[in-house]
Amino acid sequence: MKAKYEEIMDWIKQQLHHGELYAGNKLPSIRQLALTFNCSKNTVLKAYDELEKEHIIYAKSKSGHYIVSHVKQTPAPSETIDFLSAGPAKDLIPYTEFQHCLNKAIDTYKEELFEYGDPQGLVSLRQEIVQQLQSLQVFTTTERVVITSGSQQALHLLATLPFPNNKQTILIEQPTYFGMINAIQLSGASVMGIPVTMDGVDLQQLETIFQQQTIKFFYVIPRFHNPLGHSYTNAEKKKIVELANQYDVYIVEDDFLGALDTNNKADSIFSYDPSGRVIYIQSYSKTFLPGMRIASVVLPQCLIESFLRYKISADFTSPILSQGALELYLKSGLYSTHLAKIQHIYAHKMAILQESCARLLPKSVRYTTPTSGFYLTLYLPKEVSAKRLTEELAKRHIIVDHCDRMFLHGHNSDKLIRLCISQLEEQQIVDGVKGISEAITRLVVRCSY
């Protein structure tokens, strides 16, 4: 149930949306609104204060409150069904809570937040992250944690810096996160791929590659894979570590959606790594605030010095204000509460997507079966091009992502469509799958003539 001041805020926003209030209009007096909403004047003042913070209204001395002249009007609901955008749902981003943590951080740390900080990150934040990582089956020490400006920076640095095994080639899954492919290609590093399917990787093929090639590290997304949504079993994770130790290969574990995993028995690859072979990356971009640009990397002791040297050359230190606010957010327990909420929501959305695929898609279409996360991938029948399907769906205002950019050049990439559920409401998911099914059927029929 919403607080009364939030009801007042919603009413004013609705008046703006429906054109009953315009930029420059004077708002009702505090006394008038208090009578209208049967509340105290302090409640109306709080609503007005919050709207001022959002830059929707402003106060004019001895005159009242007015709509800001450049206020953005709320757009009408879009007819587009967006299976492409992969950020957290906007209504699940805890802006107000984090704003309080930002203000508290400034009060707590004062000028410290606006000076150059420790390149490794705030010690107090790293301590909190060490505690939080335990829920992901990652047990480490503060000294091994480095704060980076998002996981993308961590991937770029790892692709560039030399490793203690003195090997040169990076092994990646095919398909995989396109940001990692870009980082490797821009660094000029040698790279090769190993196919990953709905059943994961072929461990025998993985061993052959480790044995015959000079693999610096294997980049792997073990939980809620991007783009497949696939998760590795504990037995597979354990075997990957065994092979890495046997053939002197490092593992870069990108656990960007691990926080959405409700399976308490699911281990991280890191948990099978007693020798410091696994580098673990965790980001807050998909589960919390993408614009905060904070991620954490757990490194083996032998890599910390060189990693920090490369990081200092890139940005010296990650945003200190964001670090201080995140520390307070984690310490307060608000992040744990937020995670519990979004874990249920995303798992529910994924269940709706799976049910819709089973009920509506042609039998010739296979699809992955993630339990949660953002992504599910469709494997199209031989008659259907992923790029052509993407174009056909765009005409129907259904936006999907074909997986061409998620493969190295030369791999067969025109049969996969990635669906992301993070931005969609339940009915949009059902309607979207129905539209996809109809488009696939039409394309198959065309090819039969």
Side-chain angles (χ1 to χ4, degrees), residues 143-250:
E143 293 71 29
R144 289 182 60 184
V145 176
V146 177
I147 304 301
T148 59
S149 303
S151 61
Q152 189 63 47
Q153 184 186 55
L155 296 177
H156 173 75
L157 296 176
L158 291 168
T160 305
L161 63 86
F163 271 51
N165 58 10
N166 294 315
K167 298 182 180 182
Q168 306 301 322
T169 302
I170 297 170
L171 179 65
I172 61 176
E173 300 166 302
Q174 290 288 275
T176 193
Y177 169 50
F178 68 90
M180 184 54 171
I181 294 177
N182 288 343
I184 294 170
Q185 291 175 338
L186 289 172
S187 72
S190 172
V191 60
M192 65 181 298
I194 181 171
V196 57
T197 68
M198 294 193 295
D199 300 317
V201 297
D202 182 330
L203 292 173
Q204 188 172 357
Q205 183 183 7
L206 183 67
E207 181 172 9
T208 300
I209 293 173
F210 280 3
Q211 185 179 36
Q212 297 181 356
Q213 306 293 329
T214 57
I215 302 300
K216 172 182 170 181
F217 66 75
F218 175 35
Y219 171 71
V220 58
I221 306 173
R223 292 194 259 205
F224 309 131
H225 184 274
N226 179 11
L228 300 183
H230 167 78
S231 294
Y232 287 71
T233 65
N234 285 345
E236 290 170 327
K237 296 169 189 173
K238 185 177 181 181
K239 182 63 176 178
I240 289 171
V241 171
E242 290 174 358
L243 293 174
N245 280 317
Q246 183 177 350
Y247 295 104
D248 191 19
V249 173
Y250 284 83

Side-chain angles (χ1 to χ4, degrees), residues 93-193:
I93 296 177
Y95 301 105
T96 304
E97 292 176 353
F98 195 69
Q99 182 182 31
H100 293 319
C101 290
L102 280 170
N103 294 334
K104 179 71 172 177
I106 293 171
D107 289 340
T108 302
Y109 291 104
K110 299 181 173 60
E111 69 277 358
E112 184 181 345
L113 293 183
F114 302 97
E115 298 174 348
Y116 290 117
D118 184 342
Q120 192 165 345
L122 282 176
V123 174
S124 52
L125 172 60
R126 288 188 280 128
Q127 290 170 341
E128 287 301 318
I129 286 176
V130 166
Q131 295 298 314
Q132 183 246 325
L133 287 177
Q134 293 179 12
S135 65
L136 297 172
Q137 301 303 306
V138 175
F139 300 93
T140 187
T141 62
T142 305
E143 293 71 29
R144 289 182 60 184
V145 176
V146 177
I147 304 301
T148 59
S149 303
S151 61
Q152 189 63 47
Q153 184 186 55
L155 296 177
H156 173 75
L157 296 176
L158 291 168
T160 305
L161 63 86
F163 271 51
N165 58 10
N166 294 315
K167 298 182 180 182
Q168 306 301 322
T169 302
I170 297 170
L171 179 65
I172 61 176
E173 300 166 302
Q174 290 288 275
T176 193
Y177 169 50
F178 68 90
M180 184 54 171
I181 294 177
N182 288 343
I184 294 170
Q185 291 175 338
L186 289 172
S187 72
S190 172
V191 60
M192 65 181 298

Side-chain angles (χ1 to χ4, degrees), residues 17 74-82 397-399 424-425 428:
H17 174 63
T74 305
S78 173
E79 295 180 359
T80 299
I81 297 176
D82 183 4
H397 305 289
I398 300 173
I399 311 300
L424 298 175
E425 301 295 333
Q428 288 180 305

Side-chain angles (χ1 to χ4, degrees), residues 238-305:
K238 185 177 181 181
K239 182 63 176 178
I240 289 171
V241 171
E242 290 174 358
L243 293 174
N245 280 317
Q246 183 177 350
Y247 295 104
D248 191 19
V249 173
Y250 284 83
I251 305 295
V252 173
E253 178 180 12
D254 188 346
D255 204 20
F256 78 116
L257 285 179
L260 295 183
D261 197 348
T262 57
N263 180 5
N264 294 328
K265 295 182 179 179
D267 296 325
S268 63
I269 296 179
F270 187 93
S271 66
Y272 296 103
D273 170 44
S275 65
R277 183 68 60 180
V278 178
I279 297 157
Y280 180 87
I281 303 175
Q282 180 215 217
S283 171
Y284 295 92
S285 293
K286 295 292 189 272
T287 59
F288 187 38
L289 295 172
M292 186 172 60
R293 307 312 302 144
I294 294 293
S296 60
V297 188
V298 182
L299 293 159
Q301 198 65 45
C302 61
L303 271 177
I304 292 176
E305 183 179 348

Side-chain angles (χ1 to χ4, degrees), residues 328-368:
L328 296 177
Y329 195 81
L330 294 175
K331 186 179 292 184
S332 68
L334 289 170
Y335 184 65
S336 297
T337 302
H338 172 70
L339 278 184
K341 176 182 177 181
I342 65 172
Q343 283 172 347
H344 170 76
I345 290 172
Y346 288 127
H348 181 62
K349 285 186 177 183
M350 188 58 70
I352 291 172
L353 178 57
Q354 299 243 12
E355 186 277 331
S356 299
C357 288
R359 181 167 52 88
L360 298 171
L361 289 178
K363 299 302 181 186
S364 58
V365 179
R366 297 183 301 131
Y367 53 90
T368 53

